[in-house]
Amino acid sequence: MSLYAKDRHKRAAKALGFVLTLGTSEAWSGLIIVLLARLKPEERAKLAYASLMTLEDDQAYQIANAALYGVYKGELVR
């Protein structure tokens, strides 16, 4: 990976590792900035799709609803 991956992919992967380690809402919010800067829209879409596919249908719906409309389980989140 270190020999062949694009620098922007390595930086995005490293940021994800930090966020998973920290686990704070602030860290997750900061990851948005890194992903916007380092990944193309198609790459971010595929990452989102893969992540949503790991969840149960109701969980995926709630997360997608929060991302798209700012509502999670009936509560405003943004």
Side-chain angles (χ1 to χ4, degrees), residues 5-74:
K6 296 175 182 175
D7 183 62
R8 61 189 185 85
H9 290 158
K10 289 190 272 189
R11 290 174 183 255
K14 187 174 184 179
L16 176 60
F18 286 142
V19 169
L20 289 168
T21 299
L22 293 172
T24 64
S25 58
E26 293 83 10
W28 284 103
S29 293
L31 182 63
I32 294 168
I33 297 165
V34 174
L35 296 179
L36 281 168
R38 301 291 179 199
L39 301 181
K40 296 177 182 178
E42 182 179 342
E43 294 168 332
R44 295 192 311 269
K46 289 176 180 179
L47 181 60
Y49 178 83
S51 295
L52 287 172
M53 292 301 294
T54 68
L55 302 173
E56 297 294 326
D57 288 348
D58 61 326
Q59 291 175 310
Y61 175 81
Q62 291 293 335
I63 296 303
N65 201 36
L68 293 172
Y69 307 111
V71 177
Y72 182 71
K73 295 186 177 181

